Amino acid sequence: LRHFTVTVPEGGVVEGQTFLAPLPSEYEAGEGYKRIQAPTGRWKDGLFDCGMYGWFHASLCCALCCTQIAMGQVMARLRLSWLGSPTPAASAGSNTIHSNFRNTFNVVLCLVCAYTVFSVSLEFAAMPPPKWDYELDGAYYVPAVVPLLRMWGSLLFTIWSIWALLKTRRSLRSTYSIPVSRQCANAEENCPGCEDFVCAACCGCCVVGQMLRHTGEYETYGGRCCSSSGHVRGTPAVV
């Protein structure tokens, strides 16, 4: 157990309250204390700064092409559940993000794969049969259950995607003490969480990309699409 002195935020704190403080540089000496230093109190960059690491960077490609998979990587970094809610801290035996909360990423990956297989199967079920199977009048009727299943499957997956992304963004803002934007300050007072909802519902890939960049020190550690954290193996944990 190691101790160090910090300066409390403006206005002070009360008993039991938690807040973030930068880790002293001497605590980063040695492999056992390396951590990614994500900014607190502000976003690292803007919502639409997607190409700051290049247009073919892993964070951008994954956020655009596999938004839910990229969201699972953010969840793994922040130690969240597959619904975006905080979970108990991982054991202190390992400090690499690849070994912590891999199950969360696996759950998200399974959900995305299951929905993809479900959707493709329904597409095949709705395809017209060969000509020799047509009825005499040439008409082809899609079973009523097919569009119904397609509608409900798409609706449930969309609701989960927006809700999980909303909760993940809210958890990240809470962890790094990031306030809402000035444009949404008044609306947030009347409708708490509206900024997170609007961002998650209207521009999910941009939100995921911003969270990946905020929690990923890509200037030092490389990005990788096919990993549970979006980083190369051996990357330190996120603070």
Side-chain angles (χ1 to χ4, degrees), residues 10 16 59 61 68 85 87 100 105 119 121 125 127 131 144 152 160 174 179 188 210 213 229 239:
E10 184 178 354
S59 63
C61 294
Q68 287 76 25
S85 303
T87 58
N100 292 337
F105 177 80
S119 300
S121 300
M127 291 176 62
K131 291 184 178 180
W152 278 105
W160 168 75
S174 176
E188 193 74 16
Q210 184 183 38
R213 298 190 302 272
S229 65
V239 173

Side-chain angles (χ1 to χ4, degrees), residues 96-141:
T96 60
I97 50 182
H98 291 278
S99 59
N100 292 337
F101 292 91
R102 186 176 295 174
N103 286 341
T104 293
F105 177 80
N106 290 339
V107 170
V108 173
L109 180 62
C110 289
L111 284 173
V112 174
C113 291
Y115 175 71
T116 302
V117 172
F118 176 79
S119 300
V120 172
S121 300
L122 291 179
E123 290 296 329
F124 276 109
M127 291 176 62
K131 291 184 178 180
W132 55 81
D133 287 339
Y134 276 35
E135 294 183 6
L136 295 178
D137 59 359
Y140 169 65
Y141 301 97

Side-chain angles (χ1 to χ4, degrees), residues 109-222:
L109 180 62
C110 289
L111 284 173
V112 174
C113 291
Y115 175 71
T116 302
V117 172
F118 176 79
S119 300
V120 172
S121 300
L122 291 179
E123 290 296 329
F124 276 109
M127 291 176 62
K131 291 184 178 180
W132 55 81
D133 287 339
Y134 276 35
E135 294 183 6
L136 295 178
D137 59 359
Y140 169 65
Y141 301 97
V142 177
V145 70
V146 172
L148 188 63
L149 288 175
R150 182 188 301 166
M151 180 191 70
W152 278 105
S154 176
L155 179 62
L156 292 175
F157 186 77
T158 301
I159 291 175
W160 168 75
S161 299
I162 294 176
W163 176 257
L165 185 55
L166 179 157
K167 294 285 289 183
T168 300
R169 188 177 192 270
R170 182 183 300 176
S171 296
L172 187 147
R173 290 200 306 105
S174 176
T175 299
Y176 296 105
S177 304
I178 301 175
V180 298
S181 61
R182 292 190 298 271
Q183 295 84 349
C184 298
N186 293 333
E188 193 74 16
E189 293 180 359
N190 300 322
C191 182
C194 65
E195 181 189 73
D196 296 322
F197 173 77
V198 171
C199 289
C202 298
C203 196
C205 58
C206 296
V207 172
V208 172
Q210 184 183 38
M211 293 192 296
L212 283 173
R213 298 190 302 272
H214 189 89
T215 58
E217 199 172 325
Y218 291 120
E219 300 86 353
T220 305
Y221 305 100

